[in-house]
Amino acid sequence: MPLKAFGIFNMKEDNVVFIGIDQGSSSTKACVLDLQYELLYQKTIPVELNRLGLLHVEQSPEEILDSVRSLIQAAKNEAKHNKLQIAGMGLACQRSGVCAWDKATNSVLHNLISWADIRTKTFLDSIKDKHEFISNNTGLPVSPHYAAGKIALLQKEFNKDLHLVATLDSFLINQLSRDKLFITEDSMASRSMLYSLNKLGWDKKLCDFFEVEIKRLPEISGSFANDIFLDDIPLLAFMGDQQAALYSSYLHNEKAVLNLGSIASLSFYTHDTAVKKKGYISGILHSNSESKNKQYKYFIEATTNACGEVIAYICDTLKLAADISLIDEICYESFKNQSSSKQIAFLPLGGTAAPDWRYDLPCVFTSDPLVNKADSVRAAIECIGNFILENIINLTTDENLIINKKQILVSGGVSNLDYLLQYISDCSGFALLRVQNEQATADGIALAEMQSKGFKKNFTSHKGKLFSPKGKRSHRFAKWKKIKQKVMLGELKDLYVI
């Protein structure tokens, strides 16, 4: 079928490419795919995450915008050098961060209050009588990580007509469209606690609970765009980062994906049904672009905040280089030499997230972590796995989420920890397949834009390294669960509190 049938003119099929942009909390990534879904180019630019205290975490919107622009330009240069033609772009974005800027001058009025920021916890605690209603209507556990409280905070501080307050995707699209658009998208909006999963749009009652002016919120678009241009390139698809990672997996007929980065996100595709489960996140995977007859696809997600941050924490505490291969080697060495080690770590950095959503728990080891550093590193990495294991068990035993093939696709930078993946496989009984292209989010959003233009492909299976269960190590998980229960009950006797 000719390209013009898909609304793409004056391009030859053998040199058409698509750009995928993944804007995350630690970096911005770009990839370029051709019509055979082959990766032709990728590049990453780090961005800074500023921890201003126990509750406050911010980022520079200007730095993030510059990274996106630089990667778009780099992709353009690569395409020009290789005589390729860019048909479109997709944007996947970190979720729940909120910033403020001036519409007239485009100047940033307030830094991005990151998804990791929990400064609105006190306010959320003050409306506990509304929590059940909020969760029932949004599909979300009430959490200060989400955008609602942050939007309320910045709307009050910046209250003039020309002051815009919204999530990061809205800021990026506004700036890259040269101030023509002030929009968000369903998967991003559904992560805010202001979006009703029952009504599929901004909800006046939810906005009133959070003291948010609904008229100041951006318009909600579908995930697949029409007539939107960013830096003169058609924006064909945009959605949340974890949604984009899951999108590429369900094209391969896989129902579950584990994305390991700053956070660990375990997601299950639930088709046309919003499956709600207490303690877990029910949300929109994507929607089409028709405003009157939108169609929606759903997913359920379990997040673990203690992932990338645990690695940074253990490297800082034990004075180790932040090198994934080194950490992996240390874990295997500990397992080989001290397979019966009693060291267990419970490190709820950033809060426990699913399913308990506790923010008041200390980090503990069963003994001084400095006495045997190798065992402590292994215990910390297993702690990441134990949080994930708890969610795998809880979700895969739900009759709505049982997956026929006991396999979970794994992607993201932290997935390069072989020890972690083997540990999860051994304890859960699930095979874990680490995909060849670890940047599943950038890849997923590029695939989404190509699919939106009708370029279909019958996917068979992902290629990558398979981790199958080799031995039973569930006793380590069982010990961790006992430690977790003690900490949650405040029983810290005989534990080494950090």
Side-chain angles (χ1 to χ4, degrees), residues 190-217:
S190 69
R191 192 78 172 195
S192 65
M193 295 194 296
L194 301 174
Y195 181 104
S196 170
L197 207 58
N198 302 323
K199 299 177 183 178
L200 298 169
W202 298 130
D203 184 88
K204 179 67 165 59
K205 193 167 186 178
L206 290 169
C207 288
D208 288 345
F209 286 163
F210 290 98
E211 301 174 10
V212 165
E213 294 182 56
I214 193 169
K215 65 180 181 180
R216 294 184 63 189
L217 295 175

Side-chain angles (χ1 to χ4, degrees), residues 152-170:
L153 199 68
L154 295 188
Q155 276 194 356
K156 290 173 185 176
E157 185 174 353
F158 305 103
N159 53 23
K160 294 181 180 179
D161 291 341
L162 293 175
H163 292 169
L164 300 179
V165 174
T167 47
L168 181 62
D169 61 313
S170 298

Side-chain angles (χ1 to χ4, degrees), residues 309-322 370 373:
E309 193 169 344
V310 167
I311 296 172
Y313 172 82
I314 201 70
C315 289
D316 182 62
T317 301
L318 301 181
K319 310 302 180 187
L320 299 172
L370 297 178
K373 291 186 178 182

Side-chain angles (χ1 to χ4, degrees), residues 221-361:
S221 166
S223 309
F224 303 105
N226 290 315
D227 303 320
I228 294 177
F229 288 81
L230 305 184
D231 273 9
D232 302 318
I233 299 175
L235 177 69
L236 302 179
F238 67 118
M239 62 185 71
D241 53 2
Q242 303 302 336
Q243 283 91 333
L246 180 58
Y247 188 93
S248 67
S249 298
Y250 93 79
L251 289 180
H252 291 79
N253 298 314
E254 300 283 358
K255 191 173 180 180
V257 63
L258 174 62
N259 198 30
L260 299 172
S262 298
I263 67 168
S265 169
L266 175 67
S267 301
F268 289 77
Y269 175 48
T270 61
H271 302 274
D272 301 318
T273 304
V275 175
K276 295 181 180 179
K277 186 176 179 70
K278 187 175 181 180
Y280 292 93
I281 301 159
S282 181
I284 292 172
L285 178 60
H286 64 78
S287 62
N288 68 14
S289 58
E290 299 297 326
S291 58
K292 292 184 179 179
N293 298 300
K294 273 189 180 179
Q295 294 180 333
Y296 301 83
K297 298 296 182 183
Y298 298 89
F299 79 122
I300 190 167
E301 180 182 8
T303 55
T304 298
N305 291 338
C307 186
E309 193 169 344
V310 167
I311 296 172
Y313 172 82
I314 201 70
C315 289
D316 182 62
T317 301
L318 301 181
K319 310 302 180 187
L320 299 172
D323 183 323
I324 290 288
S325 60
L326 172 63
I327 293 168
D328 213 31
E329 185 180 324
I330 292 171
C331 287
Y332 274 114
E333 196 64 29
S334 169
F335 178 66
K336 179 181 177 182
N337 296 333
Q338 298 287 338
S339 59
S340 61
S341 168
K342 295 181 180 180
Q343 181 72 296
I344 302 289
F346 177 72
L347 307 172
L349 295 164
T352 59
D356 303 297
W357 301 93
R358 291 279 298 271
Y359 300 93
D360 57 338
L361 303 178

